[in-house]
Amino acid sequence: MKFFKVLGVVLLVGSLNACREKDPEPEVYELGVMVLNSGNFFDNNGSISYFKREKTTAIVDLFEKENNRAFNGGVQGYAETGEHSLILVDNDKVGLDKVEIVNLGKWTSEASLGAPDIENPRSVVGVSPTKAYVSCYGATGVYPNYFANPGYVAVIDLTTLKVVKKIPAPMGAEKMVKLGNDVFLGNASGAAELLVIDTATDAVKRTLKIGAGPQPISPDVNGKLWVKTGFSVVRLNPKTDQVEANMRVGTDPRKSPSSFAITPDGRGFYYIYSFYDSVSGVDKGETHYFGIDDTSIPGNKPVINRAFTGLGVDPLQGLIYGGVTPSYKQAGYVVRYRPSGEKLDSIKVGIAPSGFVFK
Amino acid sequence: MFLRAVRRASGLYHIFLALAISTTAFAQRDTIALEPVTVVGFAPERFMAGLKIQRLDSATLQQFRFQSIGDLLAFNTPLAFKNYGPGRLNTVSFRGTSAQHTAVLWNGLNINQPNLGQTDFSTLPVAGFERLSVQYGAAASAVGTDAVGGGILLQSSGTQPKGIRFFLGRRQASFGNQQTQAGGTYGAKVGDVLHFSGKTLYYDGRMKNKYPYTERSGYYMEPSAAEQRGFVQDLILAGKKGRKLSAHLWLTDNGSTLTPENPDARQLTRTQSRRALVQYQTPSWTWRTAFTRDLIDFGAGDYSQLDHTATDRFLTHLEKEMAWQLGGGSATVNLRVGGEAAHYRTRVDDYTAAFISENRADLFALSRWQFGPRWLVSANVRQAFVTRFDPPLTPSLGTEYRLLNGPKYHLTAKGSVSRSYRVPTLNERYWKVLGNPEIRSESGLNKELGLEAKWQPSESQQVTASLTAYHNRVDDWTYWNPDRNYRVENLQLVVARGVEMQAQWRADFPAWQTGSTLGYALNRSSQERVYNAYAGDIVGKQLVYVPVHQGTFNAYAQRGVFRFTTQVRGQTRSFTTFDNSRDLPGYVLVNLLAEVTGQRGHWRADLQAQANNIFNALYLNVGRNAMPGRSFSLNLLLTYNSESK
């Protein structure tokens, strides 16, 4: 009997001690690089990788590490605002797309917003610490009727973590860029208009005719908005709605520009200039640069003689980040280059790295 | 010389065939042998000495008669499956290979869909055939292309006894799923010599998949629905001296719809197959001629534009078996020689030409050498010919030797070395954008060793066990190469090796019958060739969708008209990426079945209650969405038998 008493005391003391031991402080993901890996569309295995700049290994799936579950869809977009990070998740099955909202630093899940509010989410911007916009295609159909439904912008209230409004938009609502109190909404359906949404009223206040399929890229150091349309880029004065410059990117009739990334000084853009070579069956292209004051973009002097599935420039260090996708059935790599184009190192990340967020 | 030997032998073969039958029965190699081996029917099994063959017994087939062959095999074999969801594409992986490395034979006819080179196991209901054998390892010399990892051998109904039997079956399951089956079997004497018999079956299944939940543990349920209809007709005219003329028809029509309730985004995959086969057999000759038509329609939205794939195949096959006795009767040799010719016609929108035809032919010689009661050898060779390129010559050598042979036990050692090949699919060769007209046949070399034991500890009990180790090296493995924008190329070298174990115990007591089966497989399968800068990440890694460990366990107990069964299947995680960076978690599924049979006069009723996935295990489909949790079904089969009293 005494033995059991002693045993009981030992167990009690042991368990009290165990309770007293403090949990280690949860890691906070602040300074570092987030890599958006779109994943293999049919395997629904997109992820976001995270690494500190001085490291050459990454946490491949940050969300899974912190939440013990994966996104279960492709990663389509990412934004941070207030105390939240928002991730757009695109499942290959209709009705299963969602916006995952996590705590900004800890990456613990706060909410998942899905159908019918979210269907084919394309782009996300933080409008204020308590509000975010998510542009959506709605349910898509079959080519040539791919955009079977009008698009919309879902307004997310980050205090209640709910979609509180859908701003109607034309079909193919795509990329968004916030500039001042306005959000510029691009279009993927071939329509020529850029929509300007007033973030105070959550309503479209005007439309700007730019050119086929306008996609806002980023504002430059002078506050001018750069927009891609077809094979060209346009410099737009957002105050006057005037198109100040319209330049064709390169002269190669086969190649098209994509993945624009602004330099830290806001005075130029890196971009990928590539084409699919049906003879060799290989994607061919390079990474180029143009300055905001250039009067033409010849596209004949590559900075890096290689094309990527994603491109970014770190505003802190100025390094160029290229996403490499060896195949959609294996991990991708991030290759880092100096601004001169000299290769620095590479880091293994998730499947199909397609975008970067520098913190 | 050869022809003379054939002629000389032909007068003797009746005697030797009788011998061959008896020795075959004696040298039973199967581990689940509830039926005696018969010579008539699918001959190549007899020429697969050294290979592992598992025959599923009729009680098991009966239990799964409202389910697909995929469900049946999942709980009774250590095969791996790549499952896209309930009622959707479900393909098999044999011993660490892919779906295209599995020959699926129906009455000896390879029924893999020629454009894809694989069979969707969700489209083959167990009710559609009468016998099933699973053959492990490469058997291309005996059955031809695709038998690289193994084969599924299906056989239609054979000769039926006198009288008429009608049946009507209905399955009512969770989630609004159901199936109806109606048909009959019949037999009658025609004149003094002939016996006519047949089987007719119609089945119609609907899966609404109306789950009462939209997600399971954070994984979504995919909205889907499926319809499955089919018609089976077998006619057999049996004559004197083992002569038999039979005709077999199997029509299947499967429609699988994703997000059926969304008119813009719903996706339909409709798969139809028409298979017709006429066969004439004598004790020495087998001739069959067959026609298959495989149609696939894929579309989305309003279905106004369906991608259409249509492939017809005309095939004729002739083989002859001969037998000799050597060395004054100490050895028996059976030789089966034959050939097959097939003509393919395919129409696919995205092929290099609107209409493509090709011819294929096979010549083969299969031999079986029985040296005394203990030693069996089979040596086979096959040469296939395909329009524009020829697969390699494919020999095989297998042997079995009975090490111990007591009155209540025996132990047999077996081994086999065989080449195998896979003729590239029509998609791989003719697809306009991603196909590759230069692609070659894959070629494999399979080696295996095994032991089989049978023990009868008492009159009422029987134990069988088998242990097999294999090594299968497949070169020129095709790969949709991302470096070439996913054009298919013969880039990879896959080496699969593993161990399979199986044990069965059966006891028949006066009041109780009980038994259990345990199966386990270890499959380590990896890509071994470096062909580009990033292949280093995938060399030596486990092949996708192939779990390293898998096991099944079944147990039943029967008393009188009641039978209780439990079915268990478990597997470790399976990777979904070549570099093993992502996986689908492992799981264990447990089903329970209760069955009762009632008989009154000519009528019989079989009632079966099934509880599937009783522990509500979470497991995922290929798209990382959730498979259903616990579900139930009630199956009723009513049979009228004119001969029962």
Side-chain angles (χ1 to χ4, degrees):
Chain A
M1 203 57 212
K2 197 176 175 186
F3 168 76
F4 285 106
K5 274 186 188 164
V6 172
L7 184 71
V9 170
V10 168
L11 286 177
L12 184 68
V13 171
S15 64
L16 286 175
N17 274 335
C19 291
R20 213 178 297 146
E21 271 175 35
K22 273 177 77 177
D23 283 337
E25 275 293 313
E27 202 169 340
V28 175
Y29 307 103
E30 278 168 351
L31 274 184
V33 181
M34 301 273 179
V35 184
L36 315 188
N37 308 299
S38 50
N40 178 317
F41 184 60
F42 296 106
D43 288 347
N44 293 312
N45 59 6
S47 60
I48 290 185
S49 303
Y50 169 85
F51 55 86
K52 292 197 158 74
R53 283 176 177 79
E54 65 276 18
K55 295 277 174 67
T56 50
T57 55
I59 297 167
V60 172
D61 193 333
L62 183 58
F63 183 81
E64 190 170 45
K65 177 174 184 281
E66 290 300 324
N67 299 287
N68 293 318
R69 67 183 172 95
F71 290 132
N72 299 328
V75 168
Q76 179 59 39
Y78 177 86
E80 295 175 351
T81 188
E83 287 303 305
H84 313 276
S85 295
L86 295 91
I87 305 105
L88 306 186
V89 179
D90 190 5
N91 193 287
D92 73 316
K93 307 294 179 325
V94 177
L96 308 186
D97 301 340
K98 61 191 172 179
V99 177
E100 287 282 2
I101 305 176
V102 298
N103 176 282
L104 177 68
K106 298 182 198 144
W107 266 70
T108 45
S109 173
E110 295 177 338
S112 298
L113 311 179
D117 291 332
I118 303 296
E119 186 64 64
N120 286 313
R122 301 300 299 170
S123 176
V124 53
V125 287
V127 172
S128 77
T130 56
K131 189 158 82 175
Y133 284 175
V134 174
S135 61
C136 296
Y137 282 169
T140 48
V142 194
Y143 180 82
N145 186 31
Y146 181 70
F147 296 106
N149 289 291
Y152 60 90
V153 174
V155 182
I156 297 174
D157 179 348
L158 292 170
T159 48
T160 60
L161 300 173
K162 288 204 160 60
V163 173
V164 290
K165 186 178 177 180
K166 283 183 177 181
I167 306 169
M171 61 187 189
E174 180 96 17
K175 176 101 191 278
M176 291 185 291
V177 168
K178 180 169 178 278
L179 201 54
N181 291 323
D182 294 337
V183 165
F184 290 79
L185 171 65
N187 189 289
S189 74
E193 286 82 18
L194 202 60
L195 263 60
V196 187
I197 299 170
D198 186 337
T199 59
T201 60
D202 297 330
V204 176
K205 64 179 180 190
R206 59 188 193 277
T207 59
L208 309 176
K209 193 162 182 168
I210 302 289
Q215 299 287 7
I217 299 167
S218 170
D220 64 18
V221 69
N222 302 321
K224 305 291 169 64
L225 181 67
W226 288 78
V227 182
K228 176 190 176 248
T229 162
F231 293 92
S232 304
V233 287
V234 162
R235 191 173 73 228
L236 180 79
N237 185 333
K239 297 203 171 97
T240 61
D241 290 348
Q242 290 300 304
V243 171
E244 296 180 344
N246 186 340
M247 291 178 280
R248 190 190 153 94
V249 180
T251 52
D252 194 322
R254 301 168 303 173
K255 290 184 181 174
S256 59
S258 61
S259 300
F260 294 86
I262 194 161
T263 55
D265 61 6
R267 305 203 63 86
F269 291 90
Y270 290 98
Y271 65 97
I272 291 162
Y273 194 41
S274 64
F275 74 106
Y276 168 64
D277 181 10
S278 58
V279 179
S280 65
V282 178
D283 268 312
K284 287 183 174 171
E286 317 84 30
T287 303
H288 294 255
Y289 170 84
F290 70 86
I292 58 169
D293 299 321
D294 292 356
T295 51
S296 72
I297 306 174
N300 55 7
K301 279 192 194 144
V303 181
I304 302 166
N305 214 340
R306 187 171 186 181
F308 301 99
T309 50
L311 191 67
V313 182
D314 180 3
L316 217 62
Q317 296 181 315
L319 299 180
I320 303 168
Y321 283 63
V324 175
T325 303
S327 85
Y328 287 88
K329 276 284 190 187
Q330 69 191 89
Y333 286 87
V334 171
V335 187
R336 297 197 276 198
Y337 297 84
R338 294 190 199 285
S340 61
E342 183 198 342
K343 185 178 160 185
L344 207 62
D345 59 4
S346 69
I347 301 168
K348 197 188 253 194
V349 292
I351 297 163
S354 57
F356 301 92
V357 176
F358 300 95
K359 301 172 59 150
Chain B
M1 268 309 281
F2 178 72
L3 279 174
R4 245 175 57 200
V6 172
R7 229 174 286 138
R8 229 179 27 215
S10 60
L12 295 169
Y13 70 72
H14 285 298
I15 306 157
F16 298 133
L17 193 75
L19 264 171
I21 293 169
S22 60
T23 50
T24 311
F26 183 74
Q28 262 182 29
R29 312 185 303 275
D30 50 328
T31 50
I32 300 182
L34 295 181
E35 292 174 55
V37 178
T38 47
V39 171
V40 286
F42 186 58
E45 273 185 44
R46 293 193 304 123
F47 294 88
M48 293 175 184
L51 289 177
K52 178 181 163 189
I53 296 174
Q54 177 188 1
R55 294 179 185 85
L56 296 189
D57 62 71
S58 52
T60 306
L61 294 184
Q62 191 64 19
Q63 269 184 337
F64 282 86
R65 69 170 292 142
F66 289 99
Q67 287 165 270
S68 77
I69 187 175
D71 297 328
L72 170 73
L73 295 174
F75 285 97
N76 291 285
T77 67
L79 301 179
F81 291 88
K82 189 178 168 189
N83 197 341
Y84 285 77
R88 303 192 59 224
L89 182 64
N90 187 17
T91 58
V92 73
S93 158
F94 251 96
R95 286 186 171 179
T97 58
S98 85
Q100 296 173 335
H101 301 99
T102 305
V104 179
L105 272 68
W106 171 69
N107 298 313
L109 173 73
N110 186 326
I111 56 168
N112 276 336
Q113 206 280 347
N115 301 85
L116 302 167
Q118 63 185 34
T119 293
D120 177 355
F121 280 20
S122 76
T123 67
L124 295 181
V126 175
F129 52 86
E130 195 140 303
R131 267 179 290 183
L132 181 146
S133 303
V134 183
Q135 169 263 310
Y136 297 82
S141 63
V143 303
T145 183
D146 304 347
V148 177
I152 305 289
L153 316 177
L154 308 177
Q155 256 196 278
S156 294
S157 130
T159 303
Q160 300 288 340
K162 193 168 136 286
I164 299 180
R165 291 150 298 273
F166 289 120
F167 57 83
L168 183 66
R170 171 81 176 182
R171 171 188 180 86
Q172 201 68 41
S174 300
F175 318 132
N177 298 346
Q178 60 180 60
Q179 197 187 103
T180 307
Q181 296 177 358
T185 61
Y186 30 85
K189 262 195 121 159
V190 183
D192 288 341
V193 194
L194 298 174
H195 179 86
F196 168 79
S197 65
K199 171 184 166 181
T200 306
L201 167 72
Y202 177 77
Y203 56 85
D204 184 320
R206 310 279 163 106
M207 296 177 79
K208 290 186 178 160
N209 294 333
K210 294 268 183 208
Y211 308 113
Y213 37 84
T214 55
E215 62 174 85
R216 301 186 59 216
S217 310
Y219 292 91
Y220 284 119
M221 301 303 298
E222 288 179 3
S224 69
E227 290 185 10
Q228 188 167 66
R229 276 182 289 275
F231 180 74
V232 175
Q233 180 67 61
D234 300 308
L235 297 171
I236 302 118
L237 196 59
K240 256 201 317 205
K241 294 180 186 168
R243 292 196 178 99
K244 199 163 96 170
L245 176 66
S246 62
H248 307 276
L249 186 71
W250 192 0
L251 312 178
T252 63
D253 184 352
N254 297 272
S256 169
T257 310
L258 268 176
T259 53
E261 278 157 23
N262 187 320
D264 296 319
R266 61 186 180 165
Q267 269 185 14
L268 169 74
T269 307
R270 186 170 177 201
T271 316
Q272 299 173 75
S273 293
R274 287 149 207 178
R275 309 179 183 109
L277 185 143
V278 177
Q279 182 160 279
Y280 180 66
Q281 285 171 296
T282 72
S284 63
W285 287 93
T286 299
W287 166 77
R288 64 174 163 263
T289 195
F291 167 74
T292 63
R293 171 169 287 176
D294 290 287
L295 307 173
I296 302 175
D297 287 284
F298 175 80
D302 62 2
Y303 304 151
S304 60
Q305 285 183 315
L306 292 174
D307 287 338
H308 185 64
T309 298
T311 302
D312 288 353
R313 180 170 47 148
F314 305 88
L315 178 142
T316 200
H317 180 110
L318 182 68
E319 61 185 47
K320 178 169 170 59
E321 179 155 338
M322 292 151 284
W324 299 270
Q325 274 201 322
L326 303 179
S330 61
T332 310
V333 181
N334 290 62
L335 178 68
R336 206 166 177 101
V337 291
E340 186 172 289
H343 177 65
Y344 287 73
R345 302 158 76 84
T346 188
R347 285 172 201 277
V348 181
D349 296 339
D350 294 324
Y351 276 11
T352 46
F355 170 77
I356 290 170
S357 72
E358 70 171 36
N359 296 315
R360 298 187 191 179
D362 285 46
L363 287 176
F364 59 86
L366 315 179
S367 71
R368 177 191 164 91
W369 307 68
Q370 181 80 50
F371 300 103
R374 289 190 167 208
W375 190 23
L376 175 69
V377 173
S378 68
N380 306 330
V381 65
R382 173 180 294 253
Q383 176 67 56
F385 307 93
V386 181
T387 303
R388 281 185 288 282
F389 75 101
D390 296 331
L393 185 75
T394 307
S396 73
L397 182 67
T399 185
E400 295 178 12
Y401 187 77
R402 186 154 292 193
L403 297 169
L404 298 174
N405 201 13
K408 295 196 163 178
Y409 59 88
H410 62 70
L411 178 68
T412 305
K414 54 209 270 183
S416 143
V417 180
S418 48
R419 290 212 72 92
S420 63
Y421 66 97
R422 180 176 77 81
V423 175
T425 66
L426 299 178
N427 272 2
E428 284 173 317
R429 278 184 293 157
Y430 299 121
W431 196 358
K432 207 184 289 172
V433 188
L434 305 180
N436 179 0
E438 306 298 317
I439 200 147
R440 299 181 301 277
S441 280
E442 293 177 352
S443 85
L445 179 64
N446 183 72
K447 292 164 278 183
E448 63 184 274
L449 281 173
L451 283 173
E452 272 184 17
K454 201 170 201 168
W455 178 43
Q456 209 159 358
S458 70
E459 276 294 300
S460 53
Q461 292 188 65
Q462 181 179 294
V463 177
T464 56
S466 77
L467 177 67
T468 311
Y470 74 90
H471 183 281
N472 196 2
R473 182 183 189 278
V474 186
D475 204 351
D476 282 338
W477 183 285
T478 62
Y479 178 55
W480 301 89
N481 185 6
D483 281 356
R484 301 287 306 277
N485 208 44
Y486 297 93
R487 242 170 66 115
V488 66
E489 294 184 85
N490 295 96
L491 272 186
Q492 297 190 322
L493 167 67
V494 171
V495 178
R497 53 279 199 208
V499 178
E500 284 154 357
M501 280 189 286
Q502 205 154 25
Q504 190 183 39
W505 167 70
R506 222 172 98 165
D508 295 336
F509 303 115
W512 281 88
Q513 291 90 49
T514 180
S516 64
T517 309
L518 187 67
Y520 166 77
L522 179 148
N523 292 304
R524 179 77 181 88
S525 182
S526 54
Q527 200 291 118
E528 298 292 348
R529 182 168 291 135
V530 175
Y531 46 83
N532 74 6
Y534 291 97
D537 282 354
I538 68 175
V539 165
K541 297 285 165 51
Q542 180 77 357
L543 229 64
V544 291
Y545 309 111
V546 178
V548 175
H549 304 280
Q550 286 188 89
T552 56
F553 173 73
N554 289 287
Y556 71 91
Q558 184 164 355
R559 189 185 171 93
V561 295
F562 295 98
R563 183 178 170 111
F564 298 93
T565 308
T566 179
Q567 304 163 338
V568 183
R569 171 188 174 76
Q571 66 174 60
T572 52
R573 64 183 174 168
S574 63
F575 295 104
T576 59
T577 54
F578 298 143
D579 61 353
N580 294 177
S581 60
R582 290 267 156 179
D583 61 61
L584 301 170
Y587 58 86
V588 175
L589 298 180
V590 182
N591 299 343
L592 287 181
L593 281 81
E595 290 159 290
V596 60
T597 303
Q599 180 127 21
R600 177 162 291 183
H602 293 294
W603 291 89
R604 175 188 158 113
D606 293 277
L607 183 66
Q608 184 189 55
Q610 272 185 325
N612 295 324
N613 191 5
I614 54 164
F615 294 115
N616 221 14
L618 175 73
Y619 64 118
L620 303 180
N621 67 15
V622 168
R624 289 193 73 77
N625 292 317
M627 294 290 280
R630 191 179 298 119
S631 69
F632 304 94
S633 78
L634 206 56
N635 307 328
L636 177 66
L637 183 71
L638 284 174
T639 314
Y640 170 85
N641 186 345
S642 67
E643 301 304 294
S644 60
K645 294 182 179 90

